Each structure stands twice: as structure tokens, then as C-alpha cells.
């Protein structure tokens, strides 16, 4: 089998069908539930200041950074940046059980994503490689970087800044979701990357993905090749970014080999904590990881063009507050609705633009489109719609989709098309693993990715497609909050039922992630606690 076929094999095997779900244990092995918090034991731990005053920034500055003057790269600001991207957002409790939530969402709240930072020296810390521990909002020092290595990094980028990296622990997701878990880990990376990008905006910073690096390079920089992992609990390197002021536009997308070699001789400290006593080896996940491993590539820059945002008359919104209040809805009031203008403004935010977060992290060209079930948008007919995020794909999608779709453009300047009128609440529920949230909402959608042709060229793009869908999801989560609604990512859907609805018969395009937005119904049985109340005596 060639690589594309093998990746498609993973994808096919992990589809949910009406007659069978993707392979998983089939029951919850509570005794071995993985610890959602990674600690590196026997390291120096640097407590970060808890988030009190957040930068006062207008919501639109999350995207445009027009009014955010770049802040110093101090430990306090780095702490704010990390807290608003990846820190705890609340604790919830009900009848004796208690769980934490984070700024970034995660499938099943299992949080497979870990974060590491390569930081300059500060008044409290030496220049080094640090793991972020969100439970105690602290940095765990894994390596100290000699001054000449740090200077060569800054000389190379020709500006101040630091590096942020994300990794995945597949076991955390596969514990519950089995073989499909690899997909969810990658969705979560996309959410976290967008979270980092938005949080950077608040401080006048920007995150740029170093897209030429290989997974091995990232492993070397983070010392993963010198870490004593517990079996099946290793962190897989995903991506590395440079965080810099948003005024710097000409950031390199890679690192020279001499700098990567400089990291290979560092001593790394700390032993990762054990997450579960007993684990299941879902071999297909490790095969998928191997098949989608990224080798070094040339540096790539992307031109997304400039496009004015659709403006809405929203009351002045505090950007940090929107990030902090983000939650997943668990139930919707089916009477909820929004105006067509607001609906379009929400979709508009998912379009990449030059110099606008989060897509100017510059992962890749846009390859995700939105297939939308409009349930209750005022001044619009309920029905099936398609939102094109990359106009170069329009003709091909039209050609592959059912011939009786209308493709009526809603507005000549906006890439939203009506495919078919009708009431699709029950269909949306049915294809989303019978989850009511997909039908009781204002609208729900499937993220349709250009698929086989990308994998043929670059198999590692399989992961990037899920990352892009996670980034789109993060935009939708924040937009929902900004419009006084609430969103929920939907990883559980019957893949081919979506393709049948569209008329797609092959792998040219595939649905990778679903999302729903509506008027939330709160669960009043839950008690909510502040994010770091467990550290109040620190
Ligand atoms: C990739 C992904 C898939 C998800 N799939 C579902 C889903 O199918 N059904 C659901 O009710 N929630 C789903 N969620 C929402 C998570 O359960 C939620 O993010 C998690 O419980 C944490 O809660 P929070 O988002 O309020 O912080 C998903 C979230 C993500 C990021």
C-alpha cells in the first residue's frame, strides 16, 4: 500500500457508521482514566502569577491587533499569554465529582495537548526549555539554554521573542475514544494553536508557525528524545511557533541546523508522571502517527489577501472576557435565533486574512469549507448552505456535489451559497451521532476538507487538516460568545452520512469536524468554582 492509501485506511477504519462506531473499548475503564495533568517530577518549578488583571482590549483586536501596542516579553506577560491560551478557566462540580475546564476546549475534556516554551532569561528564570503545567499555572524547567545558543536564536530571527510548542499524548484520547482518538488529538492542537494566536494578539504579539521544521527537529528542541517516557504515554511533537511582536512581518519559518544541533547537546531534566496504571495499545494510532510524520520542508509563506471584516454593531466587548467565558453548550433552546447579518459576520471571521489572527500563524492554504444546516437565522430560509473558504475549490466541489443543488449565492461579495431549502434539524441530529445539540441550535455545520490530493503530495497534511478545522472551531467558539450564543465542537458524527447528503462519492473531500451554535440552556445543578481556587493559599 502507498502512504496515502494507508492514511486513508486509518481514516476509513475510524469512521463512525450508523451500523457501527469506530473501534473503542466500548465501556469506560474509570480505574485507568488518564491524569489530564502532566507533571515533570524532580525539576525546578516556577510558579507564574495568577491571572488577575487581563489586558483591556476590544474584541476585534483579537483579530486585527489594531489597538494593541506590543508588550515586553517579561515573565508576567508570558504568564498572561499562556494563561489566556491554555490555563484553567473554571472548575465544575456535581454530587461529589469535580472537574476542571480550560481556556482551550478538548474532546471529552481529556486534554491530550501539552505545551512547552523556549524562553529568554528573566529576573526569576534562566533562559531555558519549560513545560507548562496548567494545574498549578507553573513552568517546569526541563533544560537550561547557554547564552550563546539563545543569542544565535535571536540573531537568526533578528528580533526579540520566544518559542511555543505543542505536543499530543494520544493515550488520553484513545482511553475513551479508541482508534478515532488520533483525530481528536489533532482537532485539539488546532484549537490550542488558535488559542495561542488570539492570546498573543492581546499583548500585541503574533504567533508564526515554523513550518519548515520536521517532527524530529521539534523532538530534539524539546528534549523528547532524552526523556524517560512511560510506555504509551509519550508526547508526540506537533508544532513549534515563534512568538514575536505583531509589527515584525518578516519572520523566518524555520531554524538553521546549527541551532537545532545546539539543542541536541542540552541536558534535559525531569521524569514525566505516570498517567494511568494500565493502558491499551491502539496500534493503528501509532501507525497513523508514523504515516503522517513530517520531514523537513522548505519554508512556506502564504498570502491570504486583505478583506474588510463584516462589522456588526456589538456593544463594546472585552476580548479577554470573551476568551475566559468560552464554554461548550450541552443543550440549546430550539427557539434561539440570530440575524442574517450576524450569521454572516460569524462565518466571515473564519476566512483567513493577512496580518489577522488566528490564520496568520500561517499553517497552510485554507482547505476547509463549511457545509451548513441553517435552522433559525432570521431573513434566511432554513436549509443546506455551503461556505467556500478557498474559492479555487468551488468548481470542483460543485462538480462533485449533487446535481440538483441550487448554488444560489446569498450575496455577490460573500462566498455563501444556498444548496437546498428545507427543515434539516432531524437530519443534523441524526448524522451527529443523534446529538440534539446539532438540531436544536441556530445553525450547525460540517467542516469539509480537500483531502486525497493533499495527502498524495504531502501525507503529513492529514494532521494539518484537523488542525485547520480546530482553528476554525476556535474562531466559532469565540464568535458564538461574542454574539451572546454558545458553541460546541462535535467530533462524533457519521462520516459517510454527511458525504451521502452532499453527494460525494470518493475521497476528494471529507468531513472532518462538526460544530453547532445556539442559545444555550445552562445546567443549574452544577456548581462553578474559580479556575485557581485550589491555589488560593499559594
Ligand atoms: C474536537 C472536539 C470534539 C468535541 N466533540 C463533542 C461532541 O461530539 N459532543 C459534545 O457534546 N461535545 C463535544 N465537544 C466539547 C467538549 O466536550 C468540551 O470542549 C469539553 O467538555 C470541555 O468543556 P469546555 O469546552 O466547556 O471547556 C468536543 C470538543 C472538541 C474540542
Amino acid at each position: 500500500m502507498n502512504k496515502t492509501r494507508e492514511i486513508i485506511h486509518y481514516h476509513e477504519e475510524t469512521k463512525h457508521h450508523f451500523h457501527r462506531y469506530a473501534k473503542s473499548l466500548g465501556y469506560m475503564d474509570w480505574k485507568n482514566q488518564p491524569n489530564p495533568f502532566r507533571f515533570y517530577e524532580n525539576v525546578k518549578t516556577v510558579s507564574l502569577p495568577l491571572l488577575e488583571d487581563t489586558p483591556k482590549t476590544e474584541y476585534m483586536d483579537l483579530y486585527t491587533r489594531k489597538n494593541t501596542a506590543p508588550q515586553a516579553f517579561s515573565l508576567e506577560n508570558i504568564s498572561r499569554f499562556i494563561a489566556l491560551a491554555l490555563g484553567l478557566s473554571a472548575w465544575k462540580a456535581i454530587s461529589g465529582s469535580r472537574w476542571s475546564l480550560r481556556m482551550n476546549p478538548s474532546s471529552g475534556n481529556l486534554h491530550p495537548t501539552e505545551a512547552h516554551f523556549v524562553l529568554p532569561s528573566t529576573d526569576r528564570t534562566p533562559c531555558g526549555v519549560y513545560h507548562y503545567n496548567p494545574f498549578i499555572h507553573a513552568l517546569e524547567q526541563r533544560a537550561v539554554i547557554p547564552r550563546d545558543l539563545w543569542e544565535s536564536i535571536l540573531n537568526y530571527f533578528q528580533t526579540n521573542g520566544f518559542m511555543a510548542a505543542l505536543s499530543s499524548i494520544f493515550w488520553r484520547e484513545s482511553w475513551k475514544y479508541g482508534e478515532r482518538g488520533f483525530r481528536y488529538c489533532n482537532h485539539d492542537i488546532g484549537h490550542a494553536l488558535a488559542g495561542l494566536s488570539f492570546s498573543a494578539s492581546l499583548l500585541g504579539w503574533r504567533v508564526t508557525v515554523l513550518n519548515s521544521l520536521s517532527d524530529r527537529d521539534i523532538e530534539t528542541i524539546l528534549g523528547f528524545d532524552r526523556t524517560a517516557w512511560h510506555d504509551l504515554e509519550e508526547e508526540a511533537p506537533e508544532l513549534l511557533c515563534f512568538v514575536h511582536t505583531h509589527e515584525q512581518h518578516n519572520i523566518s519559518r524555520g531554524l538553521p541546523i546549527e541551532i537545532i544541533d545546539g539543542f541536541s547537546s542540552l541536558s534535559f531534566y525531569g521524569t514525566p508522571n505516570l498517567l494511568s496504571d494500565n493502558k491499551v495499545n491502539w496500534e493503528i494510532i501509532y501507525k497513523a502517527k508514523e504515516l503522517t510524520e513530517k520531514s523537513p520542508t522548505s519554508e512556506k509563506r502564504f498570502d491570504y489577501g486583505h478583506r474588510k471584516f463584516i462589522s456588526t454593531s456589538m456593544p463594546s466587548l472585552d476580548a479577554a472576557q470573551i476568551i475566559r467565558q468560552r464554554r461548550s453548550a450541552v443543550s440549546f433552546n430550539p427557539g434561539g435565533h440570530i440575524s442574517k447579518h450576524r450569521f454572516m459576520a460569524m462565518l466571515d471571521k473564519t476566512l483567513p486574512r493577512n496580518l489577522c489572527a488566528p490564520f496568520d500563524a500561517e499553517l497552510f492554504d485554507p482547505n476547509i469549507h463549511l457545509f451548513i444546516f441553517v435552522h433559525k437565522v432570521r431573513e434566511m430560509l432554513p436549509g443546506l448552505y455551503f461556505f467556500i473558504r478557498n474559492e479555487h475549490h468551488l468548481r470542483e466541489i460543485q462538480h462533485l456535489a449533487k446535481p440538483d443543488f441550487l448554488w444560489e449565492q446569498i450575496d455577490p461579495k460573500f462566498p455563501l451559497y444556498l444548496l437546498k431549502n428545507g427543515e434539516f434539524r432531524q437530519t443534523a441530529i441524526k448524522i451527529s451521532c443523534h446529538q440534539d445539540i446539532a438540531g436544536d441550535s441556530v445553525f450547525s455545520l460540517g467542516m469539509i476538507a480537500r483531502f486525497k490530493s493533499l495527502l498524495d503530495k504531502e501525507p503529513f497534511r492529514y494532521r494539518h487538516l484537523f488542525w485547520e478545522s480546530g482553528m476554525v472551531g476556535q474562531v466559532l467558539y469565540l464568535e458564538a460568545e461574542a454574539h451572546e450564543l454558545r458553541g460546541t465542537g462535535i467530533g462524533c458524527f457519521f462520516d459517510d452520512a454527511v458525504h451521502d447528503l452532499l453527494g460525494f462519492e470518493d475521497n476528494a473531500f471529507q468531513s472532518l469536524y462538526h460544530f453547532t451554535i445556539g442559545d444555550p440552556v445552562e445546567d443549574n445543578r452544577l456548581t462553578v468554582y474559580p479556575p485557581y481556587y485550589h491555589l488560593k493559599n499559594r
Side-chain angles (χ1 to χ4, degrees):
M1 263 204 269
N2 72 17
K3 251 192 183 182
T4 311
R5 278 222 229 129
E6 286 190 79
I7 294 166
I8 289 178
H9 173 72
Y10 169 78
H11 194 69
E12 290 294 329
E13 280 294 299
T14 56
K15 281 181 172 174
H16 286 326
H17 297 277
F18 288 129
H19 62 279
R20 76 155 175 85
Y21 283 84
K23 242 181 253 157
S24 68
L25 218 49
Y27 63 92
M28 303 296 283
D29 178 11
W30 293 114
K31 255 189 19 218
N32 289 301
Q33 180 175 17
N35 186 339
F37 297 107
R38 160 130 291 162
F39 283 75
Y40 280 88
E41 288 156 359
N42 307 315
V43 289
K44 282 196 191 129
T45 300
V46 184
S47 298
L48 296 172
L50 297 177
L51 200 57
E52 277 166 12
D53 59 320
T54 45
K56 289 278 167 273
T57 314
E58 267 290 307
Y59 177 66
M60 271 314 291
D61 285 326
L62 278 184
Y63 295 88
T64 63
R65 314 179 186 106
K66 278 214 175 103
N67 307 301
T68 52
Q71 305 294 303
F73 296 109
S74 64
L75 196 60
E76 287 67 30
N77 284 332
I78 291 171
S79 166
R80 286 195 183 109
F81 163 68
I82 300 175
L84 280 169
L86 303 166
L88 299 190
S89 57
W91 286 86
K92 286 193 172 175
I94 191 166
S95 44
S97 88
R98 178 187 88 138
W99 61 97
S100 59
L101 298 174
R102 305 194 198 179
M103 301 294 175
N104 53 320
S106 169
S107 184
N109 201 24
L110 298 168
H111 290 285
T113 308
E114 294 292 326
H116 299 254
F117 296 88
V118 181
L119 298 178
S121 62
T122 68
D123 48 350
R124 284 174 56 209
T125 50
C127 177
V129 182
Y130 295 85
H131 167 252
Y132 174 60
N133 182 329
F135 182 72
I136 50 173
H137 190 49
L139 294 171
E140 295 164 345
Q141 185 185 303
R142 298 226 53 219
V144 173
I145 297 178
R147 182 196 286 234
D148 57 341
L149 178 57
W150 181 253
E151 276 171 5
S152 60
I153 294 172
L154 292 192
N155 279 340
Y156 177 70
F157 285 112
Q158 302 210 323
T159 184
N160 282 326
F162 61 94
M163 293 194 267
L166 298 175
S167 62
S168 295
I169 303 176
F170 303 132
W171 164 244
R172 286 215 183 104
E173 285 290 323
S174 62
W175 166 74
K176 179 172 179 189
Y177 297 112
E179 295 189 343
R180 201 169 160 101
F182 181 72
R183 298 177 177 212
Y184 297 154
C185 290
N186 283 294
H187 288 125
D188 282 12
I189 290 292
H191 280 284
L193 174 59
L196 288 169
S197 176
F198 283 132
S199 185
S201 292
L202 290 174
L203 293 145
W205 303 344
R206 173 178 163 191
V207 158
T208 297
V209 174
L210 303 186
N211 59 33
S212 75
L213 297 183
S214 68
D215 292 346
R216 286 265 165 87
D217 294 336
I218 301 173
E219 207 165 62
T220 305
I221 292 166
L222 302 180
F224 287 178
D225 50 352
R226 280 147 285 164
T227 299
W229 301 111
H230 295 285
D231 202 21
L232 298 175
E233 295 189 0
E234 61 273 27
E235 293 179 35
E238 300 282 13
L239 56 83
L240 185 77
C241 309
F242 190 62
V243 186
H244 51 96
T245 68
H246 75 86
E247 291 156 345
Q248 297 291 333
H249 297 164
N250 201 20
I251 295 295
S252 168
R253 268 57 168 178
L255 281 171
I257 189 75
E258 307 79 61
I259 290 182
I260 297 166
D261 279 351
F263 280 89
S264 68
S265 54
L266 300 184
S267 301
F268 274 79
Y269 306 103
T271 318
N273 60 336
L274 183 71
L275 304 178
S276 306
D277 287 330
N278 294 308
K279 282 153 292 233
V280 179
N281 184 352
W282 296 99
E283 286 174 17
I284 199 170
I285 286 189
Y286 300 92
K287 183 75 190 162
K289 172 194 184 283
E290 188 188 310
L291 290 166
T292 57
E293 183 171 333
K294 185 177 180 298
S295 312
T297 46
S298 57
E299 294 190 21
K300 295 217 170 61
R301 282 154 203 264
F302 300 95
D303 183 1
Y304 304 129
H306 297 274
R307 187 188 176 103
K308 254 184 91 182
F309 281 99
I310 296 181
S311 67
T312 46
S313 52
M314 291 199 280
S316 167
L317 291 175
D318 177 352
Q321 173 53 31
I322 295 290
I323 291 177
R324 297 177 89 166
Q325 75 183 46
R326 185 212 62 77
R327 299 282 183 280
S328 293
V330 289
S331 168
F332 290 121
N333 158 23
H337 51 87
I338 47 163
S339 69
K340 175 181 169 188
H341 186 72
R342 281 173 182 269
F343 170 63
M344 284 171 51
M346 289 166 111
L347 298 181
D348 182 45
K349 297 282 195 320
T350 72
L351 293 175
R353 292 162 162 90
N354 289 342
L355 307 182
C356 287
F359 300 104
D360 72 349
E362 288 192 26
L363 188 60
F364 197 35
D365 289 318
N367 281 292
I368 297 281
H369 305 278
L370 309 181
F371 168 47
I372 310 172
F373 299 94
V374 167
H375 301 315
K376 207 158 182 171
V377 176
R378 297 193 304 278
E379 307 122 56
M380 280 182 78
L381 294 168
L384 301 182
Y385 290 76
F386 212 97
F387 185 60
I388 294 283
R389 291 180 66 252
N390 183 337
E391 61 183 16
H392 300 299
H393 302 170
L394 174 63
R395 293 280 161 260
E396 192 183 349
I397 292 172
Q398 285 178 323
H399 175 72
L400 292 169
K402 283 185 180 164
D404 61 340
F405 284 157
L406 300 171
W407 291 102
E408 237 171 58
Q409 195 163 3
I410 299 304
D411 177 310
K413 292 201 205 83
F414 196 63
L416 176 65
Y417 298 83
L418 169 68
L419 303 183
K420 192 174 180 171
N421 293 322
E423 184 60 62
F424 285 92
R425 285 187 191 266
Q426 287 313 316
T427 310
I429 291 173
K430 190 172 164 197
I431 63 165
S432 300
C433 299
H434 312 287
Q435 300 185 78
D436 289 343
I437 47 170
D440 290 344
S441 54
V442 170
F443 66 95
S444 63
L445 55 87
M447 300 192 199
I448 308 294
R450 185 184 184 78
F451 197 68
K452 183 168 179 303
S453 56
L454 289 183
L455 305 187
D456 278 337
K457 276 200 220 119
E458 296 180 312
F460 63 84
R461 295 289 180 200
Y462 184 68
R463 284 152 64 203
H464 290 191
L465 289 173
F466 283 95
W467 298 358
E468 186 187 343
S469 71
M471 293 177 83
V472 170
Q474 193 66 13
V475 170
L476 292 172
Y477 263 119
L478 297 190
E479 275 294 284
E481 297 290 336
H483 290 277
E484 295 175 345
L485 297 171
R486 184 145 281 178
T488 303
I490 298 185
C492 190
F493 55 89
F494 298 115
D495 303 59
D496 285 339
V498 185
H499 305 141
D500 290 347
L501 202 58
L502 277 161
F504 290 168
E505 288 173 0
D506 62 15
N507 282 318
F509 288 84
Q510 292 281 287
S511 187
L512 298 190
Y513 188 25
H514 284 212
F515 206 90
T516 185
I517 291 183
D519 178 23
V521 178
E522 297 300 335
D523 185 345
N524 293 325
R525 296 166 306 166
L526 297 172
T527 314
V528 182
Y529 297 98
Y532 286 102
Y533 84 108
H534 59 296
L535 300 183
K536 59 181 180 293
N537 297 325
R538 179 158 99 179

